[in-house]
């Protein structure tokens, strides 16, 4: 079972025609769900401009996601403010009996990504915006100048040192 995306704005294929452009803005509830899904400290703003137009045997989805958010610094655990302004583009084709969704997709860094498959006759624009927001985030956020210092602990004796102490006690 596939979980519902934290923000969903569906566009039916029969609404595209020669092309369609949408301005999107996540409401407070959607921002809260996205922040939780992406493990963000906060998500103050999430907007996107997306357009879908026919291209070859499918469509091309182009967009721009903008966001004001805070990630958690991996060293200090303090909020780290982030501004996102990213463009993206995705090729889409409709899954049909003649063009089924592949069961296994081989990942190869040298091969460009193939198209995404549209099922159920609709494109979830919100899901694409959230996906590309997630891709634009730093996976290991760190405040400038923050450095990890391991805690000072007493070194545990090695098991062999413990055995040597036991052997010395036995010989006494």
């Amino acid at each position: 079972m596939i979980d519902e995306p934290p923000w969903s704005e569906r566009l039916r294929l029969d609404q595209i025609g020669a092309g369609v452009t949408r301005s999107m803005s996540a409401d407070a509830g959607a921002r809260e769900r996205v922040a939780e899904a992406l493990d963000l400290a906060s998500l103050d703003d999430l907007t996107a401009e997306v357009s879908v137009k026919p291209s070859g045997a499918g469509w091309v989805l182009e967009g721009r996601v903008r966001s004001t958010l805070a990630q958690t610094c991996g060293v200090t655990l303090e909020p780290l403010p982030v501004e996102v302004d990213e463009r993206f583009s995705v090729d889409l084709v409709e899954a049909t009996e003649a063009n089924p969704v592949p069961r296994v997709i081989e990942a190869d860094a040298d091969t460009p990504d193939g198209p995404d498959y549209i099922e159920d006759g609709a494109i979830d624009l919100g899901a694409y915006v959230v996906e590309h927001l997630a891709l634009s985030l730093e996976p290991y956020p760190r405040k400038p100048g923050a450095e990890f210092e391991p805690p000072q602990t007493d070194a545990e004796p090695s098991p062999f040192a413990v055995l040597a102490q036991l052997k010395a006690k036995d010989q006494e």
Side-chain angles (χ1 to χ4, degrees):
M1 180 175 159
I2 297 175
D3 292 337
E4 288 293 315
W7 186 25
S8 183
E9 298 265 343
R10 295 178 59 83
L11 173 66
R12 290 190 333 262
L13 295 179
D14 62 4
Q15 294 175 308
I16 297 172
V20 65
T21 299
R22 295 266 172 93
S23 293
M24 303 166 53
S25 182
D27 63 22
R31 289 193 314 271
E32 186 177 313
R33 291 187 304 273
V34 171
E36 184 178 335
L38 300 182
D39 196 25
L40 302 174
S42 68
L43 180 56
D44 300 324
D45 183 46
L46 176 57
T47 61
E49 297 287 329
V50 295
S51 66
V52 181
K53 58 186 176 190
S55 174
W59 299 266
V60 64
L61 166 68
E62 293 179 293
R64 181 177 186 182
V65 60
R66 295 181 194 168
S67 184
T68 303
L69 57 96
Q71 290 185 277
T72 302
C73 175
V75 176
T76 66
L77 301 180
E78 296 172 3
L80 178 62
V82 178
E83 293 287 329
V84 173
D85 187 350
E86 293 290 326
R87 294 185 180 277
F88 63 92
S89 180
V90 180
D91 292 325
L92 305 165
V93 295
E94 187 170 16
T96 62
E97 286 185 29
N99 187 25
V101 177
R103 295 237 183 255
V104 177
I105 298 174
E106 299 279 332
D108 182 0
D110 296 330
T111 306
D113 290 340
D116 281 6
Y117 288 84
I118 302 168
E119 297 182 271
D120 302 325
I123 303 166
D124 193 338
L125 303 176
Y128 278 104
V129 170
V130 172
E131 175 183 347
H132 286 87
L133 173 63
L135 291 171
S136 72
L137 297 176
E138 177 64 43
Y140 304 104
R142 182 180 289 194
K143 280 191 158 187
E147 291 188 31
F148 177 73
E149 293 181 25
Q152 299 295 327
T153 61
D154 294 333
E156 289 188 31
S158 76
F160 298 109
V162 172
L163 288 173
Q165 288 175 351
L166 289 174
K167 185 175 180 183
K169 285 182 183 178
D170 285 344
Q171 293 177 352
E172 291 179 2

